[in-house]
Structures are given as C-alpha cells and as structure tokens.
C-alpha cells in the first residue's frame, strides 16, 4: 500500500531517507522539551506565583491600613510584584490571550491557592500578567512580569529548532543533488550511447562508487566501439575476398557455351552475389554509420515513397499535421523506412504510409492489404535470416533481413518497431523513434 505513495526517483528517495530522520528527531526533541521541561517549569512558576498572590491577599486582609502600605512596599521590593487596592467589582469573564497555551495551568493554580473570586488578564498588558482578587471593600490588582508566571523561552527554542532544521535540510539537499547529478549524467551518457550518440564530454564525477561505475561505462563503450570497428574492418576484407571469386565465376560462365546446366549455374552465382551483399550489409552496421543530424522525417518519408512508386499508384503517403524535425542517423532511418515500404510492395497490392507525432515519439506507419502475418509469428518475423514467405507469398524472394534491419535501426535510436493487424486487411508496422 505504501509503495504507490513513495517517491519513484532516486533523488526524492535519498532526500526522504536523509531529511525525514532529521525532522523526526527534531520533532521528538520538541515534544520532550515542551512535554517535560517547559510544562514542568511553567507549572512550578505558576504554583509559586499563585502561592505568593494567595499569601499577600491573606496578609492584606489581616493587616491595618498602615501595615497594608508597608506590605505593598515590601512586597514590591522583594517579590517584584506591583500591587494596589482599588474599589469596585472585578469583571466576570477572564481576558485570556489565545496564543498562550498555559493559561489553564495558571488558572488551576489560582483556584487552588485562592478562596476568593479572581479575574485573570493575559491579553492586554504587554509582557505582564494582571490578576485581580475580589475583596469586601474592592479588589487587589497584581501586575506580574510574564516570565514570573510562564516559561517564555519556548518561542526562542522553536525558532532555533526550525532554523537549524531548515539549514540542515538545505545542506543535505544540496549535497544529495550534487551526488544524484553524477548518476543522472551517467544515465544520460548511457542513454545517448544506446541511441548511437556518443558523448565524448562525459567525465565520471561524484562519489567513489559513482566514479567507478562511470569509468566502467567508458571502458565498456570503448570495447564495444573497438568491436564494431574490428567487425567492420573484417567484413570489408571478407566482402572483397568473396566478390573476387564470384567475379571470376561470372566471367568463366559468360564464356561458356549456353547449356541448361550452365544457365542454372549463372542464376546461382547471381543469387549468391545478391545474398552475400545482403548479409554483409546487415552485418556491417551501415545503419549506425554517420553522425546524428537534424532532418524532416515527413520529407524523408515522402522522398522514399516517391522513389519506390513514382506514380503513387500503389503507395499512398499521408503526412501528419505536426512538424517532425528529429535528430537521428539519416541513413539508418532511410534504410528502415525503405525496407518497410519495399516489404509492403512485395507482399501486397497497395501500401499506405503515414507519419505523426505521438507524445515523446514520432511514428512512421506502413500498412498494406496483403495476406499479413499471424500474431503468433510477429516475433519470428524479426529474427535474422528467418523467412515467413510461405505464409504470405511463396514466390517472393529475399533473405529474411528486412524487418531485422528495421528493428536494429529502431533500437539503436532508442525506439521500437511494433507489428499489428491493419485495417486494410494486411500488416501494420509502426516504427517509433523518440525525440
């Protein structure tokens, strides 16, 4: 139940782990201070002050006029209390400050120490507490400093507590942001490399563990690049070595008298040459050559459609209404879209091509009215050298690399190719590229 409410990002979780205990600890300290220290101090101060008021009231009632004056003077000097006698009646309702949480504590002490009616005012007198005690001939007014009745250090304590909590939280947040930023840089570099965009400016920063992960990523990236370079170099040599004997075989067969077996051999050599070219093109990663560049995807798609069907009798193109300027490897995207359109023309009578923006992706959708592919064979269609022609068009030629190349291009750009049933009755292929 709690997982759905917990933050998902690493930064938010680390902040929660570090900041939450700080505030919990400060809250616990605050509770202990107010529940134990401040309550205890305030209770003692209130009890002492209420006892002094009760004692002075009893002494005043039992003294003469001359003794009363001396009592007021002596009390003012020793107890720091301002006392005076006034005629009249005290108000009925106490005048209490709504911001003073300890008014009930002092009232309880006054009720226990006085056997007379009293009136308490903690609202109108600045930094003073006024208590009036009803007598037969008037009332006694006591003006007492507030710090003699209540513990007044609470607001200062709270200010320091809140201030230090905010300061500690800010320091922890800044520190954590710097640490998480290193992880985000590593993730961005890995994502860029996954899309075929090298980030030469990436440098490992942050904590030791993050630096170690960054150096491991750089080493891995260099090993992959070396592997790709070595494979490309090797395949270039293989391509040259294979083309040479095939050329000699073609020349030999060209000067050989025409016979039925010779004609079959010529066809086999041509087929071998075409297959070798297809295999080498697939394995040489031509889709990843070149640097990413900005281009108009809709214009590129329209160019491919016009080249595949200049009369547009079989291929219909519908551009989207949004501007589709993306940064990608132009040759790779061109090859992927060309393969999708070629596959559609190979197996169907008509092909519909459209482009659109879908959230954080752009889509090139190619649909046809051919026999299509059964849903259980969708994944099989992406396997290299795996052909499903028997299920679609037995006469179609190919080596089974069309959709494999499309998926390879899509994934090297951080995207995907999704197959489904078309509304036209055939296959629907949606090439999605993030922007």
């Amino acid at each position: 139940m709690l997982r759905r409410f917990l933050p998902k990002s690493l930064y938010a979780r680390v902040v929660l782990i570090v900041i939450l205990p700080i505030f919990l600890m400060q809250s616990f300290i605050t509770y202990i201070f107010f529940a134990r220290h401040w309550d205890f101090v305030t209770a003692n101060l209130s009890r002492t002050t209420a006892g002094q008021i009760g004692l002075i009231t009893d002494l005043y009632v039992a003294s003469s006029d001359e003794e009363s004056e001396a009592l007021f003077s002596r009390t003012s000097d020793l107890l720091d209390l301002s006392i005076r006698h006034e005629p009249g009646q005290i108000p009925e309702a106490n005048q209490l400050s709504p911001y003073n949480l300890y008014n009930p504590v002092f009232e309880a002490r006054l009720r226990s120490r006085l056997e007379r009616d009293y009136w308490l005012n903690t609202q109108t007198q600045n930094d003073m507490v006024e208590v009036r005690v009803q007598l037969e001939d008037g009332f006694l007014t006591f003006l007492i400093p507030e710090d003699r009745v209540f513990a007044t250090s609470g607001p200062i304590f709270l200010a320091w507590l809140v201030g230090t909590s905010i300061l500690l939280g800010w320091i922890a947040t800044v520190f954590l942001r710097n640490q998480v930023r290193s992880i985000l840089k590593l993730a961005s570099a890995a994502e860029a490399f996954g899309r075929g965009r090298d980030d030469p400016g990436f440098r490992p920063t942050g904590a030791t563990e993050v630096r170690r992960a960054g150096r491991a990523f750089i080493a891995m990236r260099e090993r992959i690049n070396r592997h790709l370079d070595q494979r490309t170099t090797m395949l270039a040599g293989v391509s040259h070595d294979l083309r040479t004997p095939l050329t000699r075989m073609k020349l030999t067969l060209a000067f050989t008298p025409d016979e039925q077996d010779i004609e079959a051999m010529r066809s086999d050599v041509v087929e071998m040459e075409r297959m070798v070219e297809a295999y080498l093109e697939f394995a040489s990663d031509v889709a990843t050559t070149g640097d990413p560049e900005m281009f108009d995807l809709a214009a590129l798609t329209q160019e491919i459609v016009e080249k595949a069907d200049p009369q547009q009798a079989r291929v219909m193109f519908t551009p989207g209404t949004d501007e589709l300027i993306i940064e990608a490897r132009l040759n790779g995207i061109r090859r992927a879209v060309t393969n999708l359109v070629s596959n559609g023309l190979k197996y169907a009578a008509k092909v519909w091509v459209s482009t659109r923006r879908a959230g954080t992706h752009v889509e090139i959708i190619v649909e046809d009215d051919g026999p299509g592919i059964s849903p259980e064979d969708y994944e099989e269609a992406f396997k290299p050298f795996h052909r499903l022609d028997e299920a679609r068009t037995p006469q179609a030629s190919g080596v089974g690399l069309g959709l494999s190349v499309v998926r390879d291009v899509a994934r090297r750009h951080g995207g995907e190719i999704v197959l489904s049933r078309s509304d036209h009755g055939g296959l629907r292929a949606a090439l999605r590229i993030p922007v």
Side-chain angles (χ1 to χ4, degrees), residues 305 309 312-318 349-354 365:
V305 169
D309 184 17
Q312 295 191 13
R314 297 180 58 194
V315 183
M316 279 65 72
F317 174 61
T318 305
K350 289 188 177 182
V351 178
W352 291 265
V353 183
S354 61
I365 302 173

Side-chain angles (χ1 to χ4, degrees), residues 43-64:
N44 287 338
L45 290 174
S46 299
R47 181 171 56 250
T48 301
T49 303
Q52 292 173 354
I53 293 174
L55 177 62
I56 294 172
T57 300
D58 292 341
L59 292 175
Y60 175 80
V61 172
S63 64
S64 61

Side-chain angles (χ1 to χ4, degrees), residues 254-383:
F255 290 102
T256 302
D258 293 338
E259 295 181 5
Q260 185 175 359
D261 294 341
I262 297 300
E263 186 63 30
M265 292 179 62
R266 289 173 181 170
S267 299
D268 290 341
V269 169
V270 172
E271 182 68 15
M272 289 175 58
E273 187 175 26
R274 186 181 62 81
M275 293 175 64
V276 167
E277 291 291 341
Y279 294 157
L280 293 178
E281 184 182 8
F282 174 75
S284 62
D285 284 327
V286 297
T288 62
T289 58
D291 296 327
E293 56 183 291
M294 303 294 295
F295 61 90
D296 190 338
L297 182 62
L300 174 65
T301 305
Q302 184 173 3
E303 176 187 339
I304 294 172
V305 169
E306 292 176 353
K307 185 176 181 181
D309 184 17
Q311 304 300 325
Q312 295 191 13
R314 297 180 58 194
V315 183
M316 279 65 72
F317 174 61
T318 305
T321 57
D322 298 325
E323 186 180 25
L324 301 180
I325 304 298
I326 66 172
E327 183 180 11
R329 284 186 165 84
L330 178 61
N331 291 335
I333 301 297
R334 184 194 301 275
R335 182 181 176 192
V337 178
T338 300
N339 282 5
L340 291 177
V341 175
S342 299
N343 279 354
L345 290 174
K346 185 186 298 183
Y347 299 112
K350 289 188 177 182
V351 178
W352 291 265
V353 183
S354 61
T355 57
R356 67 175 185 176
R357 181 181 295 273
T360 58
H361 291 70
V362 294
E363 290 186 345
I364 306 100
I365 302 173
V366 180
E367 302 180 81
D368 61 59
D369 59 355
I373 301 176
S374 59
E376 57 269 17
D377 291 331
Y378 285 163
E379 192 61 31
E380 296 292 326
F382 291 112
K383 294 183 178 180

Side-chain angles (χ1 to χ4, degrees), residues 7-74:
K8 301 299 185 296
S9 67
L10 175 62
Y11 177 70
R13 290 187 175 185
V14 174
V15 168
L16 185 65
I17 293 172
V18 175
I19 302 300
L20 185 60
I22 294 177
F23 285 98
L24 288 177
M25 181 185 65
Q26 299 287 46
S27 300
F28 178 74
I29 293 175
T30 303
Y31 171 78
I32 294 298
F33 176 81
F34 281 99
R36 310 293 291 178
H37 173 73
W38 207 22
D39 287 357
F40 180 76
V41 171
T42 299
N44 287 338
L45 290 174
S46 299
R47 181 171 56 250
T48 301
T49 303
Q52 292 173 354
I53 293 174
L55 177 62
I56 294 172
T57 300
D58 292 341
L59 292 175
Y60 175 80
V61 172
S63 64
S64 61
D65 293 342
E66 293 79 7
E67 293 174 338
S68 299
E69 293 296 331
L71 176 64
F72 289 166
S73 176
R74 191 66 174 166

